[in-house]
Amino acid sequence: MPTSTSIHPVLDQAPTTESFRKATLRGLRKNQKRVPSKFLYDERGSKLFDAICELDEYYPTRTEIGIMRENVSAMAEAIGPAARLVEYGSGSSLKTRILLERMGEDLATYVPVDISKRHLLESAEALAEDHPAVPIQPVCADYTASFELPESPRPARRTVGYYPGSTIGNFPRAQARAFLSQIADTTGPDGGLLIGVDLKKDVDVMTTAYDDAEGVTAAFSKNLLRRMNQELNATFDLDAFEHQVRWNEARGCVESHLRSTIAQSVTVAGESFAFEEGETIHTEDSHKYTLEGFASLAAETGFEVESVWTDDRSYFSVQYCTTSPDLA
């Protein structure tokens, strides 16, 4: 399939295998072994996450899509014309389509940022085919770190970050504060942020969303071990680990772990790690917020919550935040 003329050359700032190796070894040396959740998203991991989003148990995606479809006109009005829209962790850009269908040529450019290059380009190509009038500038990068934005091909009146899903919940509060501050720095004065924020609710609803009956989430979690085997010469036996989910009330989050079902030793990049039976690798957090709690966090980072849209059950929220016109 020929590349659409609306797609600009990809700006490739993807993390290296060396950064994966260093972060993995550093995490596995801790008393509570852990690997940063961003490494769940190679090409296979990204596709598995897309499958998770379609599961009955996984309420965030369908709930957020419903909120967006019902309120997209108000969201587009808040963003305003001639905006450079930067999506953090774009993935399949499913929810972005709702915005593009409403905003169309009003955007100066759309900048999808994702850590998985092939998945990023596949999604950008599909979007460009359906929205040829919108300039698309893919950036392959770890969006949690500093990265360069391409120059907009059209004059941009403002820069607006877009962070759909419940991914802000993957960060502990200090890291969430740092990440939102980074976005505020990127958008600059009079910038904006349209963000999905998962809300606190019944514990069973929250935990089941990350431990589905079909085992897709378990496959997504174990894919991290497969990736370490392939890229870091690790010796993980995937059948000797199981996906485990628990609610941590004190931290206000759902924790995902890979639990060793036996006592074993595993080698990663030439270094040996012992696992006791029942010992885990902490792979991901999913923090849940109250509306007041997220507004407080946003205020600490230079953002002010201007608008909040929720579903009838208050399971999920989409919020629009702005930075001050005279942001230092």
Side-chain angles (χ1 to χ4, degrees):
M1 182 169 60
T3 301
S4 168
T5 55
S6 67
I7 296 184
H8 292 242
V10 64
L11 186 59
D12 194 347
Q13 303 167 70
T16 63
T17 300
E18 178 63 13
S19 65
F20 180 30
R21 185 189 71 83
K22 286 182 177 180
T24 298
L25 293 179
R26 185 167 55 247
L28 292 179
R29 292 170 186 148
K30 296 180 181 294
N31 290 332
Q32 168 59 73
K33 295 178 173 66
R34 62 178 67 243
V35 176
S37 60
K38 64 186 177 184
F39 294 115
L40 290 163
Y41 295 91
D42 63 349
E43 182 186 3
R44 184 171 184 269
S46 295
K47 291 184 182 300
L48 283 168
F49 182 73
D50 288 346
I52 289 171
C53 292
E54 298 178 4
L55 295 170
D56 289 341
E57 296 97 328
Y58 195 74
Y59 64 85
T61 299
R62 64 174 178 274
T63 306
E64 184 177 19
I65 287 174
I67 293 170
M68 292 198 64
R69 284 177 175 162
E70 186 173 344
N71 300 283
V72 66
S73 293
M75 294 174 188
E77 183 177 349
I79 292 170
R84 172 169 61 175
L85 186 69
V86 181
E87 182 172 2
Y88 293 80
S90 55
S92 60
S93 299
L94 179 64
K95 297 148 197 165
T96 315
R97 290 181 172 274
I98 300 172
L99 283 176
L100 294 185
E101 286 166 5
R102 173 61 179 78
M103 301 190 73
E105 297 183 35
D106 283 347
L107 285 177
T109 186
Y110 166 59
V111 184
V113 185
D114 201 84
I115 199 170
S116 174
K117 184 175 181 180
R118 183 175 297 181
H119 198 55
L120 169 71
L121 291 177
E122 287 177 355
S123 299
E125 183 67 44
L127 277 177
E129 186 174 337
D130 293 338
H131 301 278
V134 180
I136 299 177
Q137 300 177 282
V139 175
C140 183
D142 172 8
Y143 65 80
T144 65
S146 178
F147 64 91
E148 179 185 352
L149 281 179
E151 183 177 350
S152 176
R154 298 174 181 170
R157 187 178 64 86
R158 69 193 313 195
T159 298
V160 176
Y162 181 40
Y163 200 40
S166 55
T167 317
I168 189 62
N170 291 156
F171 299 98
R173 186 177 180 89
Q175 293 180 20
R177 185 188 304 113
F179 177 57
L180 291 176
S181 296
Q182 174 189 315
I183 296 178
D185 289 342
T186 298
T187 63
D190 196 29
L193 172 63
L194 187 66
I195 184 170
V197 181
D198 201 5
L199 303 177
K200 289 186 176 179
K201 60 190 73 68
D202 182 80
V203 171
D204 286 342
V205 173
M206 292 188 291
T207 55
T208 302
Y210 300 91
D211 192 16
D212 63 281
E214 295 181 34
V216 182
T217 312
F220 171 68
S221 187
K222 284 189 177 185
N223 181 61
L224 179 61
L225 303 181
R226 180 203 61 81
R227 184 180 181 188
M228 285 191 277
N229 285 349
Q230 288 188 347
E231 299 182 30
L232 303 180
N233 296 317
T235 59
F236 284 100
D237 177 359
L238 273 61
D239 292 333
F241 285 84
E242 63 182 9
H243 176 63
Q244 184 183 72
V245 165
R246 61 183 78 152
W247 170 251
N248 188 317
E249 179 65 32
R251 301 179 64 224
C253 75
V254 178
E255 295 181 353
S256 295
H257 293 254
L258 284 165
R259 178 182 178 274
S260 178
T261 58
I262 59 173
Q264 57 181 307
S265 179
V266 176
T267 299
V268 182
E271 187 169 337
S272 182
F273 296 93
F275 286 83
E276 297 179 3
E277 181 180 353
E279 190 175 358
T280 69
I281 304 173
H282 188 175
T283 59
E284 192 170 33
D285 284 332
S286 297
H287 290 80
K288 309 304 175 186
Y289 286 90
T290 62
L291 293 179
E292 298 78 11
F294 183 77
S296 174
L297 173 65
E300 296 173 12
T301 68
F303 280 112
E304 179 180 356
V305 176
E306 282 202 351
S307 300
V308 176
W309 301 275
T310 65
D311 59 288
D312 292 340
R313 297 178 296 183
S314 294
Y315 272 17
F316 198 91
S317 68
V318 179
Q319 307 192 28
Y320 187 71
C321 312
T322 57
T323 59
S324 169
D326 56 357
L327 180 70

